[in-house]
Amino acid sequence: MSREPSLQDPLRFNRKTPPCAVVIFGANGDLTKRKLMPALYRLAFEGRLAPGFAVIGISRTAMSNDDFRERMRESVARYLEDSPFDEDLWRSFAQGLFYMAGDVGDRAMYERLAGVLTEVRQSRQTAGNTLFYLSTQPSQYAPIAEGIGAAGLAEGDGWRRIIIEKPFGRDLTSAIELNRRLQKVFEESRIYRIDHYLGKETVQNILAFRFGNGIFEPLWNRRYIEHIQITAAESIGVEGRGAYYQEAGALRDMIQNHLLQVLATVAMEPSATFSSDAVRDERSKLLRSIHVMKPGEVAANAVAGQYGPGRVGGRPAPGFREEKGVDPESQTETYVAATFLVENWRWAGVPFYVRTGKYLPKRISEVAIQFRSAPLSVFRNESDENNEAAPNLLILRIQPEEGISLKFVSKRPGAGMTLRPVSMDFNYGSSFGERSPSAYETLLLDAISGDATLYTRQDMVEASWSAVQPILDYWATRKFAFPNYEAGSWGPAAADEMLARHGHAWRRP
Amino acid sequence: MTPALQTVKPDTILHELSELWIGMTRPEPEESADGNSSGILRACAMTLIVFVDDEEDSKALGETLIRIMRTHPNRTILVRLRESPGSLESRVFAPCWTPTGHQRQICCEQVELSVSMNRLTDIPAIVLPLEAPDVPRVIWFRSARIDTAADIAELLALGDKIIVDSARPGSPAFADMRVLAGAGYIVADLAWTRLTRIRELLAQLLDGRDLADIRTATIEYSGSEPSPEVKYMQAWLRSEMPGAVVDVRRADGVGHGEISAIHIDPSLHVNVASNCADYETGSLRQRANLGECEERDLLSEELSIMTHDPVFGRALQRMTAWTPRS
């Protein structure tokens, strides 16, 4: 069979993107400075961006293209992680950066944007491909999409896609309404809802671990697994974001999106292929299988917490209500622990304990899978009641020290049969010393390439809101006796009691 | 060094390795019993067998090997070849490092054998039991002296992949590499690996072009003789652009035969520097980063590929038909 001539070398070459223009709304904001622009520069550094590439930044602040380029240069030099900043390369990259001052509520601004896009299409050879990135207040998502649509920018030569950041609504009703308005302009396949947790290498590795190995999947069910704990602990407080955080709270900020997506990744069925829709179909199916709590079930299965003053890292830490911009009577939760049940044959009866919180003792994100104990304690004896096989624990560490550990017991050397728990560790960094791309590098590369596998689909968003909505509704009717945990502790006692009722205990990571 | 003339035994070396790890991993009294100590992690994803000349700069080579361990944790078996007859010595040690932001040290292991050329035939029987089980085995021939060995068939059998650098003295001829590839070995040449980033840039710049329409390509080099990289580039372009005449031309300036520019048809011009390239296509003039090209980077790329490389294979097949034009 004759071979088509090609200069491509898939074994060695990095994945490349097609030419395109990225339009960033909110270009003067923190996300653009800290994450987006360093990620785009890094992609350019690695030669992954096509020569025909441009960024058009939009925000209210008046500034010239050169001012914008200089601001972005400072940001990239400051926030670039794990890689050098190359002035020469920056100069070449910066030629493709443009800026437009404008109010997103002003229809004329979109007409001007159309002109800039036409100009950039010519001068930068972007082929008309355009990615709109909404790095703005969530309340502006729908108006911006509508402005893009009204100016005819959602259609045209090349592809047009839109990325939005969480939160995707404040509750189920507002999420449905946001989706309705977005989809009037962009059909679902062109809407990319970013959840940076799914872009993390180690979250993606959960899929590789589960479906690339034959030995784990047969154990991955209610028959062998006692329960699963998902923890996302932060060792810092709200860090100056008190006003924002007060409106969001831990349930909306972490559980509804990041942690339920992790839960879905851990619990989903294998997809037939690794195509975008096949994987998302399975994630969505799992999210829709989460038991929706009845009002009477919430108190026993969800715990809210708010940190009070304490000590973190040997230093005094203020309580949430003392943070700048926070109401001294705030009822916002900075900690959530919840028990979710997945109603399918694989997981029936297996509790998924999920917790997240600010000012916990350490920063760690992990999934801990506790297997059922051996059916018979043959090593237990009267002189040492603890001398029995502890349940095996499989830890999938997402951050830091990314890796996988399997805990099991082993005989202690010497006479007699004394058991001791030991750990078998796989450390991601030790087996693959290469630099891992940041979540935003991965996700931007995917969006420009048209791969939505790691993006959240509308049905997934609505299913996860459905899972947390009863908790939101119930808590809205309650007045909590906050604060109920000290900064620097592992959260309120009620969270421990929630597990104790099932005969379980939180793992101390 | 443990002097062990004629008595280097694999079992002894394995025992020394075992003792080394036991000593390093023995828990401190204050460490918790639940296995959560920061401790060390023993990492091994492959066996890397390196043949070097004894005169080789130990410090520079050591740094290269340690850097390689960070990207490809491995058991390194370093075989130092010396001319003086008779000797065969060994030692073991464990290079360790703590990744930035991590608590746990990661350690690999290195076995160093020092052998006279007249004892080279003893090496396979020593190295084979030392290879880490169930992981790929890679041989890196970095020695000029190995070229004088009478028969290296048994040494080749120690590896799944053979890496050479035709830009170094004593490296095998392209014809020899073709024989190895034909015998089923995965063969790699770091001279080819040096071209990856520039080949990638060309592929990107010509993406969407019908390669059959390209009629001319010219590779310029600096220095008196073209390097193996120039020859590989010519072979690759000839292989992948069958309708093009691919010329090699000496450019002005001093150098060691490296590529200084590539021109494809009238529309694409790429000027190549050590780690970047300035290119001009249509109205666009830009700079592309070509990344680091140190020996460790090249080796790291090759250690990531444990299958036959069809693109390299096609280029290698064309490496005989080469005529420079000055």
Side-chain angles (χ1 to χ4, degrees), chain A residues 374-381 387-389 417 419:
Chain A
L376 187 64
S377 302
V378 294
F379 302 112
R380 191 171 183 177
N381 56 51
N387 194 35
E388 59 182 309
M417 184 57 84
L419 305 184

Side-chain angles (χ1 to χ4, degrees), chain A residues 94-235:
Chain A
Q95 288 172 21
L97 302 188
F98 303 89
Y99 183 77
M100 257 184 66
D103 181 343
V104 296
D106 176 11
R107 289 293 159 112
M109 190 274 289
Y110 297 93
E111 302 298 335
R112 284 193 292 125
L113 175 60
V116 174
L117 280 171
T118 304
E119 201 180 301
V120 162
R121 185 184 195 285
Q122 294 296 324
S123 64
R124 301 292 302 173
Q125 301 173 22
T126 59
N129 298 327
T130 310
L131 177 66
F132 298 100
Y133 199 116
L134 276 50
S135 174
T136 63
Q137 293 293 322
S139 59
Q140 295 177 329
Y141 292 166
I144 292 173
E146 287 160 357
I148 290 168
L153 297 177
E155 308 294 338
D157 291 351
W159 48 257
R160 308 290 163 104
R161 299 177 189 134
I162 188 167
I163 295 184
I164 60 171
E165 282 274 342
K166 65 140 187 157
F168 315 119
R170 270 190 60 78
D171 52 24
L172 179 59
T173 307
S174 59
I176 291 171
E177 173 61 9
L178 173 63
N179 284 329
R180 188 188 66 76
R181 291 177 69 181
L182 290 175
Q183 288 182 0
K184 273 188 163 179
V185 182
F186 293 92
E187 60 265 30
E188 177 60 28
S189 64
R190 296 195 287 145
I191 302 173
Y192 288 65
R193 297 175 192 81
I194 208 163
D195 184 328
H196 73 266
Y197 246 64
L198 290 181
K200 288 181 185 291
E201 289 278 324
T202 37
V203 173
Q204 295 174 59
N205 193 40
I206 294 173
L207 292 179
F209 179 78
R210 287 189 58 199
F211 304 135
N213 296 292
I215 61 169
F216 301 109
E217 206 52 24
L219 309 178
W220 216 260
N221 57 55
R222 64 190 302 276
R223 191 168 172 197
Y224 297 101
I225 292 177
E226 172 80 22
H227 70 267
I228 293 178
Q229 298 183 13
I230 300 175
T231 299
E234 293 181 65
S235 57

Side-chain angles (χ1 to χ4, degrees), chain A residues 3 5-7 9 12-14 16 45 49-51 88 92 95 125 401 407 421 425 427 430 433, chain B residues 36 41 70-71 73 102-104 106 197 199-200 204-205 236 240 283 286-287 289 301-302 309 314:
Chain A
R3 185 178 59 84
S6 169
L7 294 181
D9 188 345
R12 293 175 189 267
F13 294 176
N14 290 319
K16 295 291 191 298
F45 181 84
L49 296 178
D88 288 341
S92 179
Q95 288 172 21
Q125 301 173 22
E401 303 272 349
K407 309 269 181 188
D425 293 339
N427 183 295
S430 72
Chain B
N36 275 338
L41 202 64
R70 294 182 184 200
T71 51
H102 289 232
Q103 293 180 326
R104 185 171 291 197
I106 298 171
R197 295 281 85 84
R199 289 194 304 116
E200 189 172 29
Q204 191 177 31
L205 295 173
W236 177 61
E240 307 302 334
S283 59
Q286 293 201 63
R287 168 162 289 194
N289 172 46
E301 179 177 326
E302 287 304 333
D309 178 347
R314 287 196 294 274

Side-chain angles (χ1 to χ4, degrees), chain A residues 477-500:
Chain A
T477 66
R478 297 262 318 209
K479 184 166 171 58
F480 293 106
F482 285 158
N484 59 353
Y485 73 97
E486 272 184 30
S489 73
W490 275 109
D496 296 332
E497 290 156 13
M498 182 177 80
L499 266 67

Side-chain angles (χ1 to χ4, degrees), chain B residues 111-178:
Chain B
V111 179
E112 202 168 306
L113 301 169
S114 182
V115 60
S116 298
M117 286 300 288
N118 69 337
R119 301 289 306 276
L120 195 58
T121 49
D122 292 338
I123 286 297
I126 296 170
V127 169
L128 192 62
L130 297 180
E131 293 181 334
D134 303 320
V135 290
R137 308 162 310 158
V138 180
I139 300 179
W140 179 23
F141 284 120
R142 200 175 180 276
S143 159
R145 203 162 272 148
I146 198 84
D147 198 35
T148 63
D151 182 9
I152 61 166
E154 282 190 55
L155 295 181
L156 293 173
L158 295 170
D160 303 306
K161 177 166 184 169
I162 314 293
I163 299 176
V164 300
D165 185 350
S166 58
R168 290 179 68 88
S171 65
F174 300 123
D176 295 334
M177 283 192 269
R178 279 199 295 275

Side-chain angles (χ1 to χ4, degrees), chain B:
Chain B
M1 288 271 182
T2 310
L5 186 65
Q6 298 182 349
T7 56
V8 168
K9 290 181 181 169
D11 284 350
T12 308
I13 296 173
L14 289 170
H15 181 71
E16 284 176 25
L17 275 177
S18 178
E19 289 291 308
L20 184 70
W21 285 111
I22 290 169
M24 290 170 69
T25 56
R26 187 168 290 130
E28 297 294 327
E30 65 269 20
E31 284 182 356
S32 63
D34 64 359
N36 275 338
S37 64
S38 52
I40 64 165
L41 202 64
R42 182 181 185 179
C44 181
M46 65 177 62
T47 301
L48 176 63
I49 305 162
V50 187
F51 288 91
V52 296
D53 293 339
D54 197 39
E55 302 80 18
E56 191 73 56
D57 177 2
S58 297
K59 194 174 172 213
L61 179 66
E63 281 172 11
T64 298
L65 293 175
I66 287 175
R67 293 289 289 267
I68 286 297
M69 281 174 178
R70 294 182 184 200
T71 51
H72 297 277
N74 66 76
R75 176 182 289 179
T76 298
I77 302 172
L78 178 65
V79 184
R80 291 187 167 278
L81 303 176
R82 58 167 69 155
E83 284 296 347
S84 56
S87 67
L88 181 54
E89 298 168 1
S90 75
R91 68 166 182 154
V92 299
F93 59 100
C96 298
W97 66 97
T98 306
T100 311
H102 289 232
Q103 293 180 326
R104 185 171 291 197
Q105 255 196 336
I106 298 171
C107 296
C108 288
E109 50 200 18
Q110 185 166 324
V111 179
E112 202 168 306
L113 301 169
S114 182
V115 60
S116 298
M117 286 300 288
N118 69 337
R119 301 289 306 276
L120 195 58
T121 49
D122 292 338
I123 286 297
I126 296 170
V127 169
L128 192 62
L130 297 180
E131 293 181 334
D134 303 320
V135 290
R137 308 162 310 158
V138 180
I139 300 179
W140 179 23
F141 284 120
R142 200 175 180 276
S143 159
R145 203 162 272 148
I146 198 84
D147 198 35
T148 63
D151 182 9
I152 61 166
E154 282 190 55
L155 295 181
L156 293 173
L158 295 170
D160 303 306
K161 177 166 184 169
I162 314 293
I163 299 176
V164 300
D165 185 350
S166 58
R168 290 179 68 88
S171 65
F174 300 123
D176 295 334
M177 283 192 269
R178 279 199 295 275
V179 170
L180 285 177
Y185 287 102
I186 302 170
V187 181
D189 186 346
L190 298 185
W192 167 258
T193 322
R194 282 186 192 91
L195 296 177
T196 299
R197 295 281 85 84
I198 187 71
R199 289 194 304 116
E200 189 172 29
L201 178 65
L202 290 177
Q204 191 177 31
L205 295 173
L206 294 170
D207 190 33
R209 286 272 297 270
D210 187 347
L211 298 179
D213 290 345
I214 295 175
R215 293 283 165 257
T216 62
T218 306
I219 304 159
E220 294 180 7
Y221 66 92
S222 50
S224 56
E225 288 291 325
S227 62
E229 288 85 350
V230 174
K231 300 173 193 177
Y232 271 126
M233 178 59 78
Q234 184 186 35
W236 177 61
L237 291 178
R238 280 181 172 168
S239 165
E240 307 302 334
M241 301 193 314
V245 174
V246 184
D247 282 336
V248 169
R249 193 165 61 199
R250 184 179 169 184
D252 295 335
V254 292
H256 301 285
E258 62 270 24
I259 296 172
S260 57
I262 298 170
H263 309 281
I264 295 188
D265 272 352
S267 60
L268 175 61
H269 307 280
V270 183
N271 289 315
V272 184
S274 60
N275 61 355
C276 66
D278 292 310
Y279 60 88
E280 191 180 333
T281 174
S283 59
L284 277 182
R285 280 180 176 202
Q286 293 201 63
R287 168 162 289 194
N289 172 46
L290 298 181
E292 296 293 323
C293 212
E294 301 290 332
E295 193 173 40
R296 61 173 181 264
D297 304 307
L298 304 174
L299 193 62
S300 183
E301 179 177 326
E302 287 304 333
L303 295 180
S304 302
I305 300 171
M306 293 307 298
T307 57
H308 289 280
D309 178 347
V311 182
F312 172 61
R314 287 196 294 274
L316 187 60
Q317 286 302 321
R318 286 181 167 258
M319 286 299 282
T320 48
W322 173 70
T323 315
R325 180 185 293 182
S326 55

